[in-house]
Amino acid sequence: MQRLTILGSTGSIGANTLDVVARNPGKFEVVALTARSRVELLLEQCLRFRPNYAVLGDEAAAGRLQRELATAGSRTRVLCGADALVEVASLPEITTVMAAIVGIAGLRAAHAAALGGKRVLLANKEALVTAGGVFMSAVREHGAELLPIDSEHNAIFQSLPRGGRGGMVACGVRRILLTASGGPFRTTPLAQLAGVTPEQAVAHPNWSMGRKISVDSATMMNKGLEVIEARWLFDADPGMIEVVIHPQSVVHSLVEYQDGSVLAQLGNPDMRTPIAHALAYPQRIASGADFLELAAVGTLQFEPVDIGRFPCLRLAYEALRAGPSSVITLNAANEIAVEEFLQRRIAYLDIPRLIEDVLSRSASRQINDLEDVEEVDAEARMAAVRVAAGLKAVGVPS
Ligand code: NAD
Ligand code: MG
């Protein structure tokens, strides 16, 4: 029996995780659930899955949840704040942590799970992007097991012998090919991109996801973050990691070997497949995803990325080459830019402008621990807010 903490249980990945758990009675016990602010949904989840702990972002929300739970006769204990996330991610009684908080906000708790030697199911790519070296050392030194949830990385993991343990060279790998759908604006005339709205940007053609990752998919910053994520997860040289556009999102990524073989993992675009894979690894369990009917899909297309259309992907490769502090800056500037765009305070095309501007002002420095990560992140956020204020003056399309 695996005993689970689900960080970010009210999000898209969190809810899909609970769906897979519910389909497999007797295999998993839910010990802790966490959310930032959605009291109603967390209450529903607590009544259904009966965790020992529930965590909310602030005291007012936690108090409300505790009262509602008490009225319903539940014994779930409600905690609040960032320290409580760390606490439930490293409880001695849990075996497994689903890290599904969005953004660098999830870093401390995901890192705590690694320090606790847990099986860490990593959806929260920003944690690995911003603290790759520190995070991977924690995994190695504390005997944690890191399993990727991101569909591309889960596909690569499945296409590598023993998940790539021993390194890419020993596995005979020549290239890792990350597939990208191209998002909602793959074929939109470039002249129209200036006026796209948050609603258009979050309407992904194949996947249903949280708002932040949906915007990242439109700009392809998501693929940039995934290149960096792959670098750390598989200890791969950035030069080995390539991106190819595949609009159907059926081939989730591929590994090319020295002998010319290319292995891939395919499936319908449904996050419950990688979630079920990682939850049950090395066994296989039902996920609820529809089975793939290749004849119904008909055609699988692949095309090169038009980097002029997706400057965020270029910025991510550049930051990866420049070093860890540039990557932290890239991520922080992107988190601010996406939020400003979603709040209609900057335009879509301002997202890469803002990130490039913040990157050009940042100095490179060494990163040794999470405090260093958080310092660089905080500085980059302040710079990004200042740049965003300047961009606002230029005006946003209505
Ligand atoms: P989401 O916005 O739907 O959910 C985010 C969750 O994190 C929610 O439960 C929210 O309450 C919690 N949260 C947000 N900010 C928080 C904070 N400051 N403190 C504590 N909790 C906070 O996001 P999602 O789409 O489920 O994505 C989660 C992570 O998984 C992201 O890192 C994303 O890149 C990654 N991911 C998602 C998908 C997908 O299909 N949704 C696919 C691959 C990777
Ligand atoms: Mg992905």
Side-chain angles (χ1 to χ4, degrees):
M1 172 82 82
Q2 289 196 57
R3 290 181 301 280
L4 299 174
T5 284
I6 303 175
L7 301 168
S9 66
T10 55
S12 164
I13 294 289
N16 276 316
T17 305
L18 286 172
D19 184 272
V20 176
V21 165
R23 282 167 197 278
N24 292 276
K27 291 199 166 71
F28 307 99
E29 185 189 328
V30 177
V31 178
L33 296 174
T34 87
R36 180 170 52 178
S37 55
R38 296 180 70 183
V39 175
E40 293 306 322
L41 181 53
L42 189 57
L43 172 66
E44 233 174 74
Q45 293 179 341
C46 286
L47 294 176
R48 179 157 181 218
F49 292 94
R50 301 162 177 269
N52 298 343
Y53 302 94
V55 181
L56 274 161
D58 64 68
E59 264 179 45
R64 250 183 73 204
L65 179 66
Q66 188 74 82
R67 283 191 297 280
E68 302 261 11
L69 283 169
T71 311
S74 159
R75 291 210 187 145
T76 300
R77 249 187 83 197
V78 183
L79 311 171
C80 79
D83 290 345
L85 292 176
V86 168
E87 188 183 334
V88 299
S90 47
L91 291 167
E93 63 265 40
I94 59 164
T95 58
T96 308
V97 174
M98 168 57 81
I101 289 174
V102 59
I104 199 171
L107 171 57
R108 282 270 171 191
H111 184 251
L115 292 179
K118 307 298 182 193
R119 170 177 278 205
V120 185
L121 315 185
L122 190 76
N124 178 208
K125 66 190 84 187
E126 296 90 345
L128 198 55
V129 164
T130 54
V134 179
F135 198 95
M136 294 310 288
S137 307
V139 168
R140 273 192 309 275
E141 287 161 21
H142 296 267
E145 185 181 21
L146 189 56
L147 294 170
I149 295 299
D150 216 345
S151 57
E152 295 77 2
H153 305 75
N154 185 270
I156 294 162
F157 182 92
Q158 294 197 47
S159 304
L160 286 167
R162 305 173 311 283
R165 275 198 291 278
M168 295 298 97
V169 174
C171 290
V173 173
R174 180 168 178 269
R175 270 191 309 174
I176 287 173
L177 283 159
L178 290 174
T179 51
S181 69
F185 307 135
R186 181 174 61 92
T187 57
T188 306
L190 285 176
Q192 287 177 22
L193 288 181
V196 305
T197 63
E199 290 73 22
Q200 291 169 314
V202 300
H204 196 280
N206 305 334
W207 298 96
S208 154
M209 309 180 285
R211 279 157 66 83
K212 193 260 178 183
I213 184 176
S214 296
V215 175
D216 285 349
S217 297
T219 63
M220 270 183 76
M221 178 56 88
N222 182 50
K223 212 48 55 179
L225 298 178
E226 290 182 356
V227 168
I228 302 166
E229 185 184 8
R231 180 262 170 272
W232 289 113
L233 271 173
F234 305 113
D235 194 17
D237 186 277
M240 284 177 72
I241 310 167
E242 289 179 29
V243 176
V244 61
I245 299 267
H246 166 47
Q248 290 80 16
S249 298
V250 164
V251 177
H252 296 309
S253 277
L254 316 92
V255 178
E256 181 183 56
Y257 290 89
Q258 294 294 348
D259 63 4
S261 300
V262 179
L263 300 192
Q265 183 256 357
L266 284 71
N268 278 316
D270 186 324
M271 286 309 293
R272 291 175 299 178
T273 296
I275 289 169
H277 168 266
L279 274 172
Y281 182 79
Q283 262 114 45
R284 298 275 179 173
I285 55 173
S287 70
D290 287 341
F291 292 104
L292 182 62
E293 293 294 344
L294 278 175
V297 176
T299 310
L300 297 176
Q301 293 166 284
F302 299 91
E303 52 191 67
V305 184
D306 172 2
I307 204 84
R309 180 181 285 275
F310 298 110
C312 284
L313 182 59
R314 169 180 58 79
L315 291 171
Y317 269 108
E318 286 171 5
L320 180 55
R321 294 210 172 84
S325 64
S326 297
V327 171
I328 300 164
T329 301
L330 171 96
N331 179 72
N334 182 57
E335 288 195 22
I336 297 286
V338 169
E339 190 51 34
E340 292 287 304
F341 169 67
L342 285 171
Q343 300 298 329
R344 294 175 211 278
R345 292 196 288 253
I346 65 169
Y348 177 74
L349 291 178
D350 287 337
I351 296 173
R353 282 190 198 124
L354 184 155
I355 298 165
E356 189 151 26
D357 197 341
V358 174
L359 276 169
S360 72
R361 293 158 196 252
S362 72
S364 178
R365 59 169 271 193
Q366 192 148 355
I367 301 297
N368 296 319
D369 51 30
L370 289 197
E371 284 70 33
D372 292 345
V373 174
E374 285 165 353
E375 254 174 49
V376 174
D377 174 74
E379 274 167 30
R381 274 167 198 274
M382 281 191 296
V385 167
R386 279 197 301 274
V387 174
L391 289 168
K392 271 176 233 168
V394 181
V396 179
S398 54

